[in-house]
Amino acid sequence: VHHIDFEGRFFSVKGPSIVPRSPQGRPPIVVRATGAPSLDVAARRADIVRVAPDRVAEARAAIDGAGRTGLVTVLVDVPASSAVSDALATLRHDTGADGAVIVFDEIPDAAASVTSIAPFVRQNGPTTLRDRLGRARPASRYVRTLEGAAL
Amino acid sequence: VTFHTQTSRKQIHLAAHFPGVNNTTIWADPLSGSQIDFSSFEHFAATAERGKFDFLFLAEGLRVREHNGQIHDLDVVGRPDTVTVLAAVAAITEHLGLVGTLNTTFNEPFELARQLASIELVSGGRTGWNIVTSNDAFTGENFRRGGFLGNADRYTRAAEFVDVSEALWADQKIDHHGEFFDVVGQLSIPVSPQGKPIILQAGVSDEGRDLAARYADAIFSPFADLESGRTFYADIKRRLAGFGRGADELKILPGATFVLGDTEAEAEERYQYERAAQVSGATALRTLEAVWGRDLSEYDPDGPLPSVDLVVENVELTAGRATHHIDRRGSALAWVEKAEADKLSIREVAIAKLSRGILVGTPAQVADRIDEFVQTEASDGFILVPSITPTGLDEFVDKVIPLLQERGSYRTDYEGATLRENLFA
C-alpha cells in the first residue's frame, strides 16, 4: 500500500489506491486511434490500439517509434456480415492486424455468431484479459529487488 | 369474511451491513474470510436475501485511513468500489435491496445519478443511496480539491446534488444552474420501477436531521439504546411534518451488532470473548491516541490510562474516519473517570467506550429486544453488522429470523419487487 503523490497538469492524487492490485496487474488500456494525437497517445500508453484497416502500418510505425514494439495489440473493425468468417480468415494477410473488433449493427444471434467465428479463436484459454492478449503481468512500480533476487 | 380482531404489529425492517471500517470485525477467527473477494459479498448477500432482509448496506471510504502519518493497518485497508459491487450483487439476487454509501462532496451529480439509474435498471428498482458529505481536506487530496467546502456548505451542496439527481431520475431534460452545479442535459435512462432510488442519511447534526426529514426514506441512526432511540425517533417524526411529510414516510434504522448464545450466560461469555478479540491492545492504544492527540505507544494497554494533562488539543491523529474529537480534553476526562470508577485498564475502557448498539442474548432475547424497539417507537428496525466476514449473518438468519416471523413482526416473504415496496410495505 503506497501513496502515489501524483501531481500533474490535470490531476493531483494522493493515494494509495483503495482497491488492491488486480490479478492481471492493471486493466489493459484500449485507445481508438483516428489521427496523429490519438495515435501518439495509443503508441505510448495503450495495450490495444483500434485503427481503420488501412492504418495498421501507420500504427505499427508509431508503436515502434515509441519503443514499444511487440507490446501493443493492433485491432481493426470488421462489420458482422455474412462474410465475417472470410474477413477473419484473411485479416492478418490483408491488413497486418493482430485481430478484429466485430461491430454488430443489431443485437446478434449469439449462436450463429459464435459458429462463424469459432475457427478463429482459442477455445480454452487463460483467465485474465491480459493473459489472452499474450502479455505478461506488469510488475508493480513498487517492487523492490535485492541483489540477485526479485521480490 | 375474516375478521382481524388483533391489531396488526408494526413490521420490523432489517438491513445487512457488510463489515468494513469498525471495531466489530474479528480478524483472528478461523472463519474470518476475505473483505475484498466477490465471493464474500456473494455469500453475505445470499444470506441476507434468505433472511428476507430489506437491503444490503455498503459503507465507503474514499481514502485509506491513516494514524499519525502511517496507514492504519489494524482495520480494513481499502475495499472495492461501492457502485461496482452493488451492480454485481444485483445480478445474483432477486429481491434484496442494494444500498451504497456515496459522497456528495467529491462526486458530480450527473455522473452519480447516471450510475444509480443504471443499477436501478439492472436490478429492477432495488437501489438505495446513503448520502454522505465530507469536509475533510484529507479525503480531498484524492480529488484535487482538498478541503474545498465549509462545514455548512457541505449540506447545501448535498441538497443541490439531490435536487439535480431527482430531476435526472425523472428522465427530464434539465437546465440547472445553481450555486454548486451547472447541468444541462438528460440521462435518457427510463424511470425506474420504484420511481427513484431510496435515499438514506446518517448524519445526526441539526443540518443532517433536516436533510433527512426533507429527502430521506430511511436514516442509519447511531441511537441503539431504547431511551435515546425514542428521543431521536420522536424528533425526526416531528421534523417530517415540517416538510409536509407523513410520519410513515421515513424509516429509522439504528446500526447494531449482535452476539447469540444458547443460554444467556453463554451469550454473555461469548460477548466478552468477542469484545476482547475485536479490540486488541494495539487498537485500544490507537483509539486512546486519537482522543489524547499524541503518541502513546509506550503505554501498556493492560495498564492504567495516561493523565489528562498529556492531552494535546487541535491535533487530529487519525485521518479518514467518521467521528472526530472536538472537545479533546473533555473526552479524555470522560475516559479517565470511566476507568477509575470501574477500575479498568486502557484496553478495558476502550472496549467499554466502543461498545454501542450490541444485541446480546439467546435468539429469543435478541428477537424480543428488536421487537421491543420497533413496537415502542425506538426504531423501525436495525442495520445489522456481524463480527465475522462473510458468514457472521448466517446464525442470525437461522435462529432469530424465524422467531420474529412467528410473532408476526417480520415478513415471511418479500411483499414487492422493488426496495421501496418492501421498505414501505
Side-chain angles (χ1 to χ4, degrees):
Chain A
V1 182
H2 304 269
H3 289 115
I4 64 167
D5 286 314
F6 183 91
E7 297 276 349
R9 179 174 158 212
F10 295 104
F11 305 108
S12 62
V13 179
K14 181 74 181 175
S17 170
I18 299 169
V19 185
R21 201 157 186 265
S22 98
Q24 60 176 343
R26 54 176 185 258
I29 292 171
V30 185
V31 176
R32 180 161 195 185
T34 54
S38 52
L39 190 55
D40 178 54
V41 172
R44 288 186 293 111
R45 290 273 180 257
D47 299 287
I48 296 172
V49 53
R50 292 176 60 195
V51 290
D54 59 358
R55 301 191 84 149
V56 173
E58 192 185 343
R60 297 263 186 231
I63 293 160
D64 292 346
R68 299 185 67 225
T69 310
L71 295 177
V72 184
T73 301
V74 180
L75 302 181
V76 295
D77 290 353
V78 171
S81 64
S82 55
V84 65
S85 50
D86 293 343
L88 291 176
T90 59
L91 182 82
R92 193 181 290 274
H93 177 266
D94 293 351
T95 67
D98 299 311
V101 176
I102 301 176
V103 182
F104 293 92
D105 293 335
E106 52 191 28
I107 304 292
D109 176 336
S113 305
V114 169
T115 307
S116 67
I117 65 169
F120 306 100
V121 294
R122 205 167 8 191
Q123 294 304 308
N124 294 301
T127 51
T128 73
L129 176 55
R130 195 173 288 279
D131 286 343
R132 276 174 198 275
L133 295 169
R135 306 291 175 211
R137 184 176 192 257
S140 164
R141 66 176 64 193
Y142 299 106
V143 164
R144 279 169 293 178
T145 52
L146 296 176
E147 281 181 344
L151 282 182
Chain B
V1 178
T2 309
F3 292 95
H4 295 278
T5 49
Q6 265 190 319
T7 313
S8 64
R9 299 179 71 80
K10 244 183 100 188
Q11 291 298 294
I12 296 165
H13 294 275
L14 295 175
H17 181 178
F18 190 87
V21 173
N22 56 45
N23 59 75
T24 52
T25 298
I26 300 175
W27 301 92
D29 194 289
L31 289 173
S32 183
S34 171
Q35 306 279 330
I36 294 283
D37 284 351
F38 186 65
S39 59
S40 289
F41 293 95
E42 196 171 7
H43 180 95
F44 193 75
T47 306
E49 190 163 67
R50 182 161 64 82
K52 317 289 181 204
F53 276 51
D54 286 70
F55 57 87
L56 164 72
F57 180 93
L58 298 183
E60 184 176 65
L62 295 175
R63 180 156 173 194
V64 174
R65 294 201 304 168
E66 292 177 18
H67 181 84
N68 206 7
Q70 303 290 315
I71 302 295
H72 180 69
D73 57 2
L74 294 176
D75 206 332
V76 172
V77 177
R79 53 193 141 191
D81 170 63
T82 301
V83 167
T84 309
V85 172
L86 292 183
V89 172
I92 55 160
T93 51
E94 273 183 69
H95 301 284
L96 186 65
L98 310 159
V99 177
T101 300
L102 296 157
N103 192 298
T104 57
T105 304
F106 298 113
N107 285 298
E108 293 293 323
F110 187 87
E111 204 174 353
L112 189 58
R114 180 165 174 266
Q115 289 174 318
L116 285 165
S118 302
I119 310 179
E120 283 285 84
L121 191 69
V122 299
S123 68
R126 293 187 280 135
T127 312
W129 173 19
N130 180 40
I131 298 175
V132 290
T133 64
S134 172
N135 67 340
D136 73 289
F138 175 79
T139 305
E141 281 190 292
N142 277 345
F143 297 90
R144 199 166 192 254
R145 297 190 184 99
F148 77 106
L149 271 185
N151 207 32
D153 282 347
R154 62 192 179 130
Y155 282 106
T156 320
R157 181 179 160 107
E160 191 181 328
F161 198 119
V162 179
D163 285 338
V164 172
S165 301
E166 294 199 334
L168 290 167
W169 289 330
D171 204 27
Q172 293 167 6
K173 188 168 182 356
I174 69 164
D175 190 358
H176 173 92
H177 301 280
E179 188 183 348
F180 294 95
F181 308 109
D182 294 294
V183 184
V184 178
Q186 187 172 5
L187 284 187
S188 295
I189 295 174
V191 177
S192 104
Q194 62 173 350
K196 59 188 180 188
I198 291 290
I199 302 286
L200 266 80
Q201 217 285 124
V204 292
S205 66
D206 200 48
E207 296 94 331
R209 290 180 190 212
D210 272 344
L211 186 75
R214 185 171 158 195
Y215 290 105
D217 300 297
I219 295 182
F220 187 164
S221 143
F223 301 110
D225 66 86
L226 281 170
E227 195 182 330
S228 67
R230 285 182 192 131
T231 306
F232 182 68
Y233 197 95
D235 177 66
I236 294 296
K237 300 290 172 171
R238 180 184 58 72
R239 286 174 196 249
L240 279 174
F243 291 99
R245 300 179 67 196
D248 294 336
E249 291 180 42
L250 197 166
K251 301 295 182 192
I252 296 173
L253 306 172
T257 190
F258 56 87
V259 181
L260 301 174
D262 289 341
T263 64
E264 191 175 353
E266 196 185 305
E268 183 58 31
E269 192 183 324
R270 187 170 167 193
Y271 167 67
Q272 296 299 341
Y273 157 77
E274 289 203 358
R275 287 311 278 153
Q278 286 156 346
V279 183
S280 67
T283 297
L285 277 181
R286 287 205 190 169
T287 309
L288 202 73
E289 287 176 346
V291 180
W292 260 253
R294 67 184 303 149
D295 178 75
L296 298 170
S297 54
E298 298 300 313
Y299 280 76
D300 175 5
D302 296 318
L305 275 69
S307 160
V308 172
D309 295 337
L310 293 174
V311 166
V312 182
E313 296 284 357
N314 302 318
V315 173
E316 202 58 65
L317 217 57
T318 305
R321 10 170 254 158
T323 50
H324 295 274
H325 295 280
I326 293 166
D327 174 14
R328 196 172 293 287
R329 202 182 156 84
S331 300
L333 194 61
W335 280 60
V336 169
E337 284 172 354
K338 171 84 180 162
E340 284 174 358
D342 298 342
K343 300 196 179 0
L344 302 177
S345 67
I346 288 174
R347 189 169 174 198
E348 287 164 339
V349 77
I351 288 171
K353 293 297 264 184
L354 294 172
S355 297
R356 268 200 319 201
I358 303 183
L359 302 158
V360 185
T362 64
Q365 286 173 320
V366 169
D368 278 345
R369 189 75 174 157
I370 291 173
D371 204 23
E372 185 184 13
F373 262 83
V374 173
Q375 305 308 329
T376 65
E377 303 205 322
S379 81
D380 293 302
F382 282 94
I383 295 180
L384 296 173
V385 57
S387 51
I388 299 285
T389 307
T391 54
L393 197 62
D394 300 27
E395 190 182 13
F396 186 92
V397 167
D398 292 335
K399 294 179 179 171
V400 182
I401 292 290
L403 301 177
L404 295 173
Q405 289 169 329
E406 273 171 27
R407 61 179 66 203
S409 301
Y410 190 72
R411 65 171 66 91
T412 52
D413 210 345
Y414 285 103
E415 293 87 353
T418 68
L419 173 54
R420 193 175 300 278
E421 283 166 350
N422 293 318
L423 194 58
F424 294 102

